[in-house]
Amino acid sequence: MSIYQHFRPEEKEFIDQVLNWQSFVKDNYAPRLSDFLDPREQFIVQSIIGGENDCKVSFFGGNEHAERKRAFLYPEYIEPSQEDFQCTLFEIEYPDKFIHLTHPQILGSLMGLGLRRGKFGDILLDEKRIQFLAASEVTDYIKLHFHTVGKTTIALAEKSLDDLIGSQEEYQEIQATVSSMRLDTILASITKISRQKAVSLIQSGTVKVNWRLVEQPSFVVQQGDLISARGYGRIKILLIGDQTKKEKWRITVGKLK
């Protein structure tokens, strides 16, 4: 049985990458560190590596509530430490009395540096404080090139991970029973809107799965997916359980508003 049939066709390239990481650890008896991964990617890594003895995996992205985390694959003789994940915490200093910076503005400016999204972890906002995590290997590049968010001049202060502001993303765990794993069905069930409204939201381009725009109501949602719908918050698919006698799916999701 092919490992690929358990995942989406478009995920094949990432699966191949995970398998290469696994082979590296086994062949060299040495660890391998990934970029920051989204929840679905973390799920794929855990699914492939989770039961291995010769290659184990741990995740870290600043704290236990982090959404984006780096995966550290390692042989069993290693005991992973926080330092192994090579995460650098930056705090953005800006004229907060006059300027209000948003998450999309910060992410857009970071992506404008020409680095992959995987080089950045979560962006955290707490009242007037703004922090973001970055892969330590690009720390010097960020210091050299990241001086503005939009038209606002900023300064960067490198912080200890102990200074990480608390994650604002608290998810409410919800158990539900759904007739199918279609995107429109999941969205309607968890947000308590009509199926017709869910279809309209998806087709109007306001719904993303794992940060990618999805406009097909029939898109099949899988465990580990993160759904975001404009005006309705975020939904994490934590667990897809078994089917009921009426062939409905028992699922557990985390809902953030």
Side-chain angles (χ1 to χ4, degrees):
M1 183 180 294
S2 169
I3 192 171
Y4 301 107
Q5 70 183 61
H6 299 291
F7 304 99
R8 298 185 179 111
E10 63 268 24
E11 293 171 336
K12 182 181 183 300
E13 183 178 349
F14 181 70
I15 292 165
D16 288 340
Q17 189 174 39
V18 176
L19 293 172
N20 286 335
W21 296 339
Q22 182 185 50
S23 296
F24 176 88
V25 173
K26 289 182 175 181
D27 295 344
N28 297 278
Y29 213 49
R32 192 67 185 261
L33 180 64
S34 78
D35 282 347
F36 286 95
L37 307 176
D38 66 40
R40 174 64 181 174
E41 291 169 331
Q42 294 168 40
F43 171 75
I44 292 172
V45 174
Q46 184 64 52
S47 298
I48 295 173
I49 307 296
E52 285 282 335
N53 290 322
D54 296 338
C55 178
K56 298 182 178 298
V57 63
S58 293
F59 300 92
F60 181 75
N63 62 30
E64 62 178 318
H65 301 297
E67 192 167 89
R68 300 181 66 84
K69 299 178 180 180
R70 302 191 84 172
F72 183 68
L73 287 72
Y74 57 97
E76 57 183 344
Y77 76 89
I78 289 179
E79 288 291 335
S81 67
Q82 184 172 293
E83 289 71 27
D84 289 320
F85 293 89
Q86 299 178 33
C87 296
T88 299
L89 177 64
F90 285 108
E91 185 153 337
I92 297 177
E93 298 176 344
Y94 65 104
D96 54 69
K97 289 184 179 180
F98 311 102
I99 300 292
H100 174 69
L101 299 180
T102 66
H103 188 289
Q105 287 175 321
I106 298 159
L107 179 57
S109 296
L110 286 171
M111 296 306 296
L113 300 179
L115 296 170
R116 296 194 304 272
R117 179 65 180 96
K119 293 303 179 185
F120 303 105
D122 288 355
I123 298 170
L124 302 170
L125 296 88
D126 181 12
E127 295 183 352
K128 295 182 178 181
R129 297 179 67 197
I130 301 173
Q131 296 178 341
F132 67 92
L133 284 105
S136 295
E137 61 267 23
V138 296
T139 294
D140 290 340
Y141 182 88
I142 293 170
K143 289 178 178 177
L144 187 62
H145 295 283
F146 189 40
H147 305 300
T148 60
V149 173
K151 296 180 179 179
T152 303
T153 299
I154 63 157
L156 290 179
E158 192 171 333
K159 299 283 187 177
S160 163
L161 287 174
D162 293 334
D163 294 327
L164 188 75
I165 59 179
S167 172
Q168 297 170 297
E169 302 196 337
E170 295 293 333
Y171 284 83
Q172 175 190 3
E173 196 167 295
I174 300 171
Q175 275 77 41
T177 303
V178 294
S179 58
S180 79
M181 295 306 299
R182 284 171 52 116
L183 179 58
D184 56 351
T185 302
I186 300 296
L187 188 59
S189 175
I190 302 305
T191 61
K192 307 300 183 186
I193 61 176
S194 69
R195 179 83 167 270
Q196 184 178 4
K197 175 67 172 176
V199 169
S200 177
L201 287 172
I202 295 165
Q203 292 180 334
S204 65
T206 62
V207 178
K208 294 182 178 181
V209 179
N210 303 327
W211 292 274
R212 297 176 182 89
L213 187 66
V214 175
E215 296 179 296
Q216 296 79 38
S218 61
F219 181 88
V220 177
V221 176
Q222 297 187 15
Q223 189 167 313
D225 281 341
L226 178 71
I227 303 167
S228 59
R230 193 180 306 159
Y232 292 89
R234 292 180 176 181
I235 300 165
K236 280 184 181 179
I237 309 300
L238 302 175
L239 177 67
I240 299 176
D242 54 4
Q243 285 186 292
T244 67
K245 292 180 179 179
K246 295 184 178 180
E247 297 187 343
K248 292 188 174 183
W249 291 98
R250 295 187 179 94
I251 64 173
T252 303
V253 305
K255 185 173 185 295
L256 170 73
K257 180 59 178 177

